[in-house]
């Protein structure tokens, strides 16, 4: 389960229908995560740029959202 927060750190309903969750650690000290979320799920509307996601005791800031026909592709960076 991914916990999502708006830009003011107000907790919203958790994201549960995500897929392709991936955590990355690059050589440039850049830690990121990405996942897909179905557009048809009502919680997709809560995913906004500069919102926050908490996973594995870490907090990430949403930096990019790509919309396909069926999914939102979300990319976030570790909030340091």
């Amino acid at each position: 389960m991914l916990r999502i927060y708006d830009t003011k750190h107000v907790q919203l309903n958790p994201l549960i229908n995500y897929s392709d969750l991936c955590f990355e650690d690059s050589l440039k000290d850049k830690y990121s995560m990405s996942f897909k979320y179905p557009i048809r799920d009502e919680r997709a509307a809560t995913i906004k740029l500069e919102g926050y996601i908490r996973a594995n005791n870490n907090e990430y800031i949403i930096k990019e959202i790509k919309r396909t026909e069926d999914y939102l592709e979300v990319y976030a960076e570790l909030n340091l």
Side-chain angles (χ1 to χ4, degrees), residues 58-75:
N58 288 315
E59 182 176 81
Y60 297 84
I61 302 173
I62 299 171
K63 294 296 186 179
E64 185 177 354
I65 302 171
K66 293 182 181 178
R67 186 182 182 108
T68 66
E69 188 174 318
D70 298 321
Y71 290 94
L72 294 177
E73 296 177 1
V74 181
Y75 301 90

Side-chain angles (χ1 to χ4, degrees), residues 23-27 29-32:
F23 294 95
E24 292 188 34
D25 173 2
S26 76
L27 296 175
D29 295 330
K30 189 174 182 180
Y31 301 94
S32 63

